[in-house]
Amino acid sequence: MSTSHNAPQHSAGRPAGEGGWLETVETIAGAPAAGPDELQHVKVLKVGPAEATRVLVLLGGREGAAGGFRVLARELARTVPGLQVWAVDRREQNLADLRDYQADLNTAIDYYLGGKYTSLEGSGAPFAGSWGLDVLLRDVRQVVKAAADGGRRDVVLGGHSVGGAAVAHYAAWDFDGTPGYLDLSGLVQIDGGVRDAFKGAGMEFSLTAQDAIGWRSVIADGSVFENATSLAVRAGDRPQDAAILYHLAARCALADPHGPALLTRGLPAAYATDGPLTNAGLFGKLVDAAVGHPGYAVHSGRLGQDGNWIDDGPTPLARVAEAHAEGPSGAFIWYTLNRVMLDYVAGNAFTDNDVTRELGLRLHHVEAIDIPLYAFGSSLTNGTVAAAAEQLGASTAIPAVTTYTDLELTHQDLLYAVPEQNRLLRTLVEFLRTLPRR
């Protein structure tokens, strides 16, 4: 082992254009699970040349919707010959009321900030309490199969944040006797993983079987969704508050960046200002590392005395705004699932044990994983993503582990920073270009 350090049903968007370039959102049937038939699917953002021979499938983190990968997907697909990038909107995004998300801006503001949209409580979707890692990974397998196109293309599976943990789980998962890694030619973990990959961010996970039973009971009693993202970014206490605020603020920042901020009425106190504030200034305050939560922020710039935003970091504000504003659902999932978070915590040790068996986590093929792994860590995880990936490589049949850490970039910079200042982009391009086909 070598180690280096430091079938579509519906489509929307831009079809193949000049040079056969695709940028579309397609619906792919999911795995059978609890809930109404109209929820049994996922949406996939597809970016890249129509005649690709390799697909990188990307999974978001706790709150990560497909739009969060749009900027990175474009850069990778333009740079790596024959590559398409597919980003997955998990099935829980089907629960969001996105009716006016892409309506004209005034209509969207009125509908969402005026409280006219449908806000869902856990009691309104009790079936989603059973949508854990098993459902998520079986949905992802449907996407992976579609990407492979009967063997015409090979598939690499990647994930950001806890999506990086999902990547490892997929590889070790038993799908009716078939190990997940056999579907893939490589694994990509972007600032996430298993075996205490998040230790450097102050997050260490352990769970007893009794703890897992108790957590599962809380979910069954109605705590189907969790609101950690909204609370972390100080947007409110409902699960969807962060997604709605970021989406509308991003649209305002793109439509009229230098105009007076349209969303100051009802703005959370954490982002209020006594001076002038433009639309770009407001969105900058939401996402900039000097103001926001380290897990959701970028190094973008600073607020000027005139209330406008001044870009002077590796991640221009417009790149982040574009991801949150474009597409049918933006960059944030509305209703993150408590059961998925329970399963991630339970599976952190990445072994088949009494806790994983209690929860039905089918980690039966950990030691047999035999495909290359790439892992990149930011200032949030402070080196532990690389350490966890290398430990994983040492305890499995993974033939090559390639790890990097850049303490100058935030957790979100990795998705949005300009190529010249984004080491992840440069090194991931090299990994994908040289990765052998399975």
Side-chain angles (χ1 to χ4, degrees):
M1 179 180 67
S2 64
T3 303
S4 64
H5 297 276
N6 299 347
Q9 298 171 323
H10 172 73
S11 65
R14 282 187 285 171
E18 184 179 351
W21 182 268
L22 289 173
E23 188 158 327
T24 66
V25 175
E26 298 192 359
T27 299
I28 292 177
D37 289 346
E38 62 266 24
L39 302 177
Q40 308 295 322
H41 64 268
V42 296
K43 297 284 182 61
V44 178
L45 169 65
K46 298 173 60 174
V47 178
E51 295 303 315
T53 56
R54 169 170 283 164
V55 178
L56 171 62
V57 175
L58 291 173
L59 310 175
R62 182 181 218 140
E63 80 299 332
F69 290 114
R70 188 181 297 273
V71 172
L72 182 64
R74 288 169 177 165
E75 299 286 3
L76 288 171
R78 287 169 181 154
T79 309
V80 181
L83 179 73
Q84 275 184 26
V85 182
W86 292 18
V88 180
D89 255 351
R90 303 188 299 270
R91 67 166 54 206
E92 53 265 38
Q93 193 71 325
N94 299 329
L95 299 170
D97 179 1
L98 303 176
R99 191 193 81 177
D100 282 346
Y101 235 45
Q102 297 300 331
D104 70 84
L105 188 53
N106 288 332
T107 298
I109 291 172
D110 179 60
Y111 187 67
Y112 293 103
L113 296 191
K116 298 178 181 179
Y117 71 95
T118 300
S119 178
L120 189 63
E121 303 291 335
S123 59
F127 49 83
S130 65
W131 290 356
L133 262 181
D134 182 60
V135 174
L136 170 60
L137 296 180
R138 286 190 294 118
D139 281 349
V140 171
R141 195 161 194 247
Q142 295 293 99
V143 176
V144 168
K145 287 181 176 180
D149 193 22
R152 188 176 70 83
R153 297 179 293 230
D154 73 327
V155 182
V156 180
L157 185 62
H160 177 245
S161 194
V162 293
V167 164
H169 284 95
Y170 185 99
W173 207 261
D174 183 88
F175 295 99
D176 300 319
T178 301
Y181 69 84
L182 292 181
D183 299 333
L184 309 170
S185 60
L187 305 172
V188 171
Q189 295 177 323
I190 302 174
D191 219 22
V194 293
R195 296 189 177 169
D196 290 327
F198 296 97
K199 184 176 181 179
M203 293 180 281
E204 297 184 61
F205 306 120
S206 64
L207 202 67
T208 67
Q210 197 60 41
D211 291 336
I213 292 169
W215 191 340
R216 191 172 56 193
S217 296
V218 169
I219 296 170
D221 288 340
S223 294
V224 174
F225 309 128
E226 50 105 74
N227 60 354
T229 298
S230 291
L231 292 176
V233 303
R234 299 167 292 176
D237 58 8
R238 297 174 302 177
Q240 70 271 24
D241 285 339
I244 291 172
L245 177 61
Y246 275 57
H247 175 75
L248 293 178
R251 290 192 61 188
C252 292
L254 291 176
D256 186 14
H258 307 303
L262 296 178
L263 304 185
T264 52
R265 181 170 59 88
L267 186 68
Y271 303 104
T273 180
D274 293 332
L277 193 64
T278 67
N279 287 313
L282 172 57
F283 188 66
K285 290 191 69 173
L286 287 176
V287 303
D288 190 67
V291 181
H293 185 280
Y296 304 93
V298 296
H299 288 306
S300 179
R302 54 192 169 85
L303 191 66
Q305 292 185 345
D306 59 356
N308 211 354
W309 194 255
I310 302 170
D311 275 335
D312 62 6
T315 300
L317 189 66
R319 288 169 73 90
V320 190
E322 187 175 16
H324 280 275
E326 286 193 1
S329 65
F332 276 5
I333 293 286
W334 276 38
Y335 299 109
T336 53
L337 298 173
N338 212 347
R339 178 56 195 265
V340 170
M341 296 313 300
L342 163 60
D343 288 350
Y344 278 139
V345 172
N348 175 62
F350 203 54
T351 59
D352 183 25
N353 54 43
D354 61 335
V355 181
T356 59
R357 288 191 292 273
E358 173 64 37
L359 295 173
L361 307 185
R362 301 174 62 83
L363 297 174
H364 299 170
H365 305 285
V366 172
E367 294 180 358
I369 300 170
D370 68 350
I371 51 177
L373 169 64
Y374 166 100
F376 198 108
S378 76
S379 60
L380 178 71
T381 49
N382 200 32
T384 54
V385 163
E390 289 162 4
Q391 193 277 334
L392 184 61
S395 61
T396 65
I398 292 174
V401 178
T402 303
T403 66
Y404 300 91
T405 299
D406 191 332
L407 300 181
E408 298 300 315
L409 297 176
T410 72
H411 192 56
Q412 300 293 329
D413 281 333
L414 302 182
L415 304 183
Y416 301 124
V418 295
E420 301 77 27
Q421 299 187 61
N422 191 346
R423 193 178 178 206
L424 171 126
L425 181 61
R426 300 195 300 272
T427 56
L428 182 52
V429 164
E430 181 63 20
F431 175 79
L432 293 170
R433 278 179 165 172
T434 60
L435 181 67
R437 298 187 182 277
R438 192 173 181 90

